[in-house]
Amino acid sequence: MRLPLLTWLLAAARAVDLGKTTYNLNLIVEAGKETYEKTRDDAEALLAHAVANGMGTSVQLLLRGAVDKVKRSLLELEAKQKTESKAAETKDEGPPQTLTNATVGVRALKSTFAKPKKSNAMKRISVADFAKAVEDNKAASLLKKPLIVEGGVGALDELRSLLSAEALMGHDITLEYFTPAVSKQKRSFDEQQNSPQEWEHNDVSVERYFVNCFNLRAKPDFRKRGGAQTEHCEQDISWSTFFGGNATGLLTDALTVAGAALDADLGRTRFLLKAVANGVDAAKMALKSASTRLVVGPAGAGEHLRQQATPLVDGLVHGERRWFTMQPDTFMKLRGKAEASGALEPSSAFVFFESQLEELVEDLDLGAKGLSYREGSQKPGDVVFIPPSTIFTSLTYADAASVRGTLGTAGDAANAVDAKLWAPEGARIPDNVAAAACYGD
């Protein structure tokens, strides 16, 4: 019985008509930007071979489709290259308009450029208005209060190129990087009466600074946000560390009378740089006290409320900053009122603007009579003047770079230079000389 059944099954199997079977054939062709032409030639050679040897219609259609696809891609590539080449010839991109690009930069904080209350707003004037005040001998009275001069930075395009992230990373120097924890320890309202404290820090390259504080080489899931992750990142460095001198020509001609002190220690800086080049290590420390500074930081960076005895001038090249200023006696009054509630503690500029300021206004009547303050926003090209001993802080809203220095008249600058001259032949050795060096013949 089993044998006839097996014979029947085999016969049935031979009788089945399988019909047509369809196969999907895919041809993957990889062509680089420089190899499209060779890929096209190879595909055409394969098609010619298929036709000449009478290969199946399906195979010929597959190869013909590949040839057509490569040809179309090559034509699109050539058209794109022509368009880019023409645009490159006619388009002048000019200097960088921002400190960082979208890859490196920290996303800007929400701008608060909306005008504050008139009674609390820093005075804003144009360069022309300042020039008129100089002619009328009223500039000195203007500079007795915090002031923003719009468009006061001279040679802005040149400075934008000089202070781009890419250009700064080209300098082979080291910066002092303080961790968030150390930066928090450094913040204090009480001035250090003794010699400055040496805080624990890491010496890092400029490139490493942009890794630590911006988003250089950051993976998508680890990109920094402005604020808590960047509040400790403001760098205040001697201009000479990068550029070997002071920021000559920073201000427009109309503001030169107010910013002459930016050049006051140029001779001293050159002397110290020469000493460093000749191996005098003490000169490196002396260079840090140069009056002209480069201030750089990502969105969210900024230090606590503080003051300096000398007037301050800050010319913003990239980014945006929000400033807060207050008179010393008003600050002490506010500090006394806030002591019980703890509403005013040494904190980063980000914490101050994002939480403390609103609480001080609402709960302690900051801004009312007897507790006045001033605030304002600084855009690229704007110059901020801060009178001596004023309490101030500034928060970076968009990745920023500025040149900061001591404000003074031309007479002040001349006196500052004279006070720093080393003239032993005339028995003149200034009190503030920290180091001297002799070398050569």
Side-chain angles (χ1 to χ4, degrees):
M1 181 66 183
R2 292 177 57 190
L3 184 60
L5 177 61
L6 181 60
T7 304
W8 180 83
L9 288 173
L10 290 172
R14 286 195 295 271
V16 171
D17 183 8
L18 295 177
K20 290 185 177 180
T21 301
T22 301
Y23 296 94
N24 292 321
L25 300 178
N26 293 309
L27 179 63
I28 299 175
V29 179
E30 292 186 359
K33 190 174 182 180
E34 308 298 331
T35 60
Y36 263 109
E37 291 184 357
K38 186 177 186 308
T39 302
R40 178 200 59 195
D41 294 343
D42 290 344
E44 287 179 338
L46 283 173
L47 176 60
H49 178 78
V51 173
N53 289 275
M55 292 185 180
T57 304
S58 297
V59 174
Q60 292 189 35
L61 287 173
L62 172 68
L63 294 174
R64 195 177 303 280
V67 171
D68 290 343
K69 178 65 176 177
V70 174
K71 284 183 175 180
R72 285 198 303 271
S73 298
L74 182 58
L75 291 173
E76 291 172 0
L77 177 64
E78 291 175 344
K80 183 178 179 181
Q81 288 176 334
K82 288 180 180 179
T83 302
E84 291 177 352
S85 177
K86 186 176 181 180
E89 293 176 357
T90 58
K91 184 178 179 181
D92 181 11
E93 294 184 354
Q97 297 301 300
T98 55
L99 171 66
T100 55
N101 57 30
T103 303
V104 177
V106 175
R107 185 175 180 179
L109 302 179
K110 186 177 180 181
S111 177
T112 58
F113 197 64
K115 293 182 180 179
K117 292 182 180 179
K118 188 175 181 180
S119 58
N120 297 328
M122 292 175 64
K123 186 177 181 66
R124 305 181 67 89
I125 63 173
S126 66
V127 171
D129 290 336
F130 189 91
K132 183 68 167 55
V134 172
E135 291 179 6
D136 297 340
N137 294 319
K138 295 180 180 179
S141 61
L142 274 178
L143 298 175
K144 289 180 179 179
K145 295 181 179 180
L147 176 70
I148 299 177
V149 179
E150 297 173 346
V153 175
L156 184 58
D157 285 347
E158 180 181 347
L159 286 169
R160 279 173 168 163
S161 298
L162 200 64
L163 302 184
S164 69
E166 184 178 359
L168 293 175
M169 284 189 284
H171 291 266
D172 185 19
I173 63 171
T174 58
L175 305 176
E176 294 181 353
Y177 172 75
F178 298 93
T179 64
V182 174
S183 296
K184 187 175 182 179
Q185 293 175 3
K186 289 174 59 183
R187 298 181 186 121
S188 172
F189 289 149
D190 300 317
E191 295 183 12
Q192 298 291 331
Q193 299 297 328
N194 301 321
S195 58
Q197 183 174 346
E198 283 291 328
W199 295 94
E200 181 182 355
H201 66 273
N202 298 318
D203 289 329
V204 300
S205 66
V206 182
E207 182 177 349
R208 171 50 58 179
Y209 166 65
F210 276 93
V211 170
N212 291 350
C213 288
F214 293 79
N215 284 309
L216 180 62
R217 296 196 295 273
K219 295 182 179 179
D221 292 340
F222 296 93
R223 290 184 65 82
K224 298 175 185 66
R225 293 185 177 182
Q229 295 178 311
T230 60
E231 60 184 359
H232 65 291
C233 282
E234 185 172 86
Q235 281 282 338
D236 184 339
I237 325 114
S238 168
W239 177 271
S240 58
T241 299
F242 277 92
F243 305 110
N246 276 6
T248 303
L250 165 67
L251 305 179
T252 59
D253 291 341
L255 303 188
T256 301
V257 64
L262 287 173
D263 298 326
D265 61 352
L266 181 57
R268 172 178 176 272
T269 299
R270 287 173 176 164
F271 165 78
L272 291 172
L273 285 169
K274 188 174 181 180
V276 171
N278 282 273
V280 183
D281 291 336
K284 294 180 180 179
M285 291 298 296
L287 268 174
K288 295 182 180 180
S289 66
S291 63
T292 306
R293 320 291 297 174
L294 171 61
V295 183
V296 181
E303 279 307 319
H304 60 296
L305 288 165
R306 59 200 184 277
Q307 68 179 157
Q308 67 177 48
T310 54
L312 178 147
V313 54
D314 184 283
L316 189 64
V317 177
H318 290 300
E320 179 185 347
R321 285 203 186 104
R322 182 181 177 187
W323 289 78
F324 174 95
T325 67
M326 175 181 282
Q327 291 302 308
D329 56 341
T330 306
F331 173 73
M332 294 307 295
K333 188 187 300 184
L334 177 66
R335 189 178 176 188
K337 291 185 66 175
E339 189 172 0
S341 63
L344 183 61
E345 296 291 336
S347 66
S348 67
F350 177 75
V351 172
F352 175 76
F353 279 108
E354 293 297 310
S355 60
Q356 289 186 359
L357 181 56
E358 184 177 358
E359 187 176 347
L360 292 170
V361 170
E362 293 181 355
D363 298 345
L364 299 179
D365 296 324
L366 177 61
K369 187 175 181 181
L371 287 174
S372 63
Y373 69 93
R374 296 286 183 271
E375 66 170 304
S377 291
Q378 182 186 24
K379 296 288 189 177
D382 291 350
V383 175
V384 169
F385 293 100
I386 305 293
S389 300
T390 300
I391 306 294
F392 72 93
T393 187
S394 62
L395 172 63
T396 298
Y397 272 83
D399 297 349
S402 67
V403 185
R404 186 173 297 177
T406 299
L407 182 153
T409 64
D412 294 334
N415 292 334
V417 171
D418 290 342
K420 293 174 180 177
L421 286 177
W422 174 265
E425 68 279 5
R428 183 181 180 84
I429 303 177
D431 294 335
N432 62 352
V433 169
C438 295
Y439 40 80
D441 297 332

